[in-house]
Amino acid sequence: MTNINQSKIKKATKVFNSVFNKYDIMNDLMSLGIHRLWKQRLIEWMNPRKNDHLIDMASGTGDIARLFLKRVKNQGKVTCVDPNKFMIEKGKIKLGDLNNIRWHLSGAEKLPFKDNTFDIYSVSFGVRNFSNTKMAIKEAHRVLKRGGRFICLEFSKVENEMLDKLYKKYSKTIPILGKYIVGDAEPYDYLIKTINEFYDQNTFKKIIEDSGFSNVGYRNISNGIVAIHSAWKI
Ligand SMILES: C[S@@+](CC[C@H](N)C(=O)[O-])C[C@H]1O[C@@H](n2cnc3c(N)ncnc32)[C@H](O)[C@@H]1O
C-alpha cells in the first residue's frame, strides 16, 4: 500500500506546470520582495560550513542553492530535487554559472539516495505541497548523515490577530494578481488554500520530532507569516 496522495501530486504538478515561467517574478510581486529576506534568514540560521553537501528539496528554480553556495564561497555541493521538470529546467538556466549543483527529478516522499548521504536537508516553501508530509520528513531523516541538519522555511500561523486579519485580506488579492500576471487565478487559489491548511508551528514541530529528529525548534519571522523549523539527526 502506498501512502502517497496521488490527487495532491496531480494538483501540485498542474499548478507548477502553469506557473513555472513566471514563478520568480510572481514571488517578488506577491511578497513585495520579502521572500528574499526570508530565504536569507534561512541561510543565516543554517550557517553551513565549507564542503557541506546540501540537499535542497522542492528546489524549484534554485534560490536556496545559490544562497548556500554564496555563503560557503562555492566550496560545497548542492543536490537540488524537485518533481517538476519545468521548474528544474528554469533552475538549470538560472544557475548555469554554478557547477557544483546536481539536479534530480523526484518527489520528497521517496528519494533515490542512500541512507546517511547529506550534511543538510533544506526545504523552502515546499513542504506544504508534499503529498505525505510525515513520509517525506522520515525520508529527510534517512538521507541525512548522523549530525546532519533539517531546516525548513514555510508559511505558518500569524501570531497577532489584527495582522492575521489584514494578511488574510491581502491573501485574497493574490489570485487576482495571478490572473493578471500568469493569466490564471486557479494556481494562486491553490497556493492560498495550502497555506491555510498547513500545520501551525507546534504541530509541525511535533511531526518533525515524531520522525526521529532531535533538538527541534522554530523561529517565527514576520510575526509568524513564515516560520523556520530546525532539527538534528543525532
Ligand atoms: C513554491 S515552490 C518553492 C520553490 C523554492 N524552494 C523556493 O523557495 O522558491 C514549491 C516547489 O515544490 C515542488 N513540489 C511539489 N510537490 C512536491 C513533492 N511531492 N515533493 C517535492 N517537491 C514538490 C514544486 O514542483 C515546486 O517547485
Side-chain angles (χ1 to χ4, degrees), residues 86-116:
F86 300 114
M87 294 292 274
I88 286 194
E89 285 313 316
K90 276 267 159 192
K92 281 184 181 168
I93 295 166
K94 196 167 106 180
L95 274 58
D97 56 322
L98 297 167
N99 55 15
N100 29 5
I101 305 182
R102 297 285 169 271
W103 300 85
H104 286 265
L105 199 63
S106 171
E109 299 79 3
K110 190 160 175 18
L111 296 173
F113 307 110
K114 291 189 181 143
D115 299 358
N116 310 313

Side-chain angles (χ1 to χ4, degrees), residues 4 8-9 12-13 16-17 23-24 27 35 39 56-64 81-85 87-88 94 106-109 111 121-132 136 153-155 190-191:
I4 296 179
K8 190 160 180 186
I9 290 182
T13 306
F16 290 101
N17 279 354
Y23 176 76
D24 288 323
N27 264 356
H35 74 105
K39 288 171 179 167
D56 183 42
M57 182 53 56
S59 60
T61 61
D63 282 0
I64 300 303
V81 183
D82 199 288
N84 190 295
K85 61 177 187 232
M87 294 292 274
I88 286 194
K94 196 167 106 180
S106 171
E109 299 79 3
L111 296 173
Y121 178 115
S122 60
V123 53
S124 153
F125 301 117
V127 74
R128 65 177 200 287
N129 297 300
F130 294 172
S131 69
N132 185 326
L153 171 66
E154 191 49 88
F155 289 105
Y190 174 81
L191 171 86

Side-chain angles (χ1 to χ4, degrees), residues 30-66:
M30 284 185 303
S31 73
L32 311 170
I34 296 170
H35 74 105
R36 292 167 186 265
L37 302 177
W38 294 335
K39 288 171 179 167
Q40 192 56 50
R41 291 285 294 277
L42 175 83
I43 296 293
E44 277 161 24
W45 199 14
M46 181 193 290
N47 194 19
R49 295 158 305 178
K50 285 183 182 162
N51 300 320
D52 273 346
H53 187 178
L54 171 75
I55 174 169
D56 183 42
M57 182 53 56
S59 60
T61 61
D63 282 0
I64 300 303
R66 182 179 288 290

Side-chain angles (χ1 to χ4, degrees), residues 106-210:
S106 171
E109 299 79 3
K110 190 160 175 18
L111 296 173
F113 307 110
K114 291 189 181 143
D115 299 358
N116 310 313
T117 301
F118 302 98
D119 300 295
I120 308 169
Y121 178 115
S122 60
V123 53
S124 153
F125 301 117
V127 74
R128 65 177 200 287
N129 297 300
F130 294 172
S131 69
N132 185 326
T133 312
K134 292 178 187 169
M135 198 172 163
I137 308 291
K138 283 192 180 144
E139 270 296 85
H141 188 270
R142 182 184 69 74
V143 299
L144 274 171
K145 293 177 188 166
R146 295 218 168 271
R149 176 118 183 246
F150 169 88
I151 191 152
C152 171
L153 171 66
E154 191 49 88
F155 289 105
S156 205
K157 301 296 167 215
V158 178
E159 290 174 314
N160 178 291
E161 225 176 284
M162 275 279 284
L163 184 67
D164 190 38
K165 278 191 186 141
L166 274 174
Y167 175 63
K168 290 214 163 89
K169 277 202 175 131
Y170 171 70
S171 299
K172 291 197 175 122
T173 66
I174 300 287
I176 301 164
L177 192 64
K179 175 119 186 102
Y180 187 68
I181 304 289
V182 179
D184 191 359
E186 202 192 322
Y188 295 93
D189 282 329
Y190 174 81
L191 171 86
I192 304 306
K193 183 171 172 281
T194 55
I195 292 174
N196 291 335
E197 285 174 356
F198 193 62
Y199 307 106
D200 64 62
Q201 288 83 333
N202 283 313
T203 308
F204 187 45
K205 178 173 181 264
K206 175 87 174 42
I207 290 171
I208 301 169
E209 283 164 348
D210 291 347

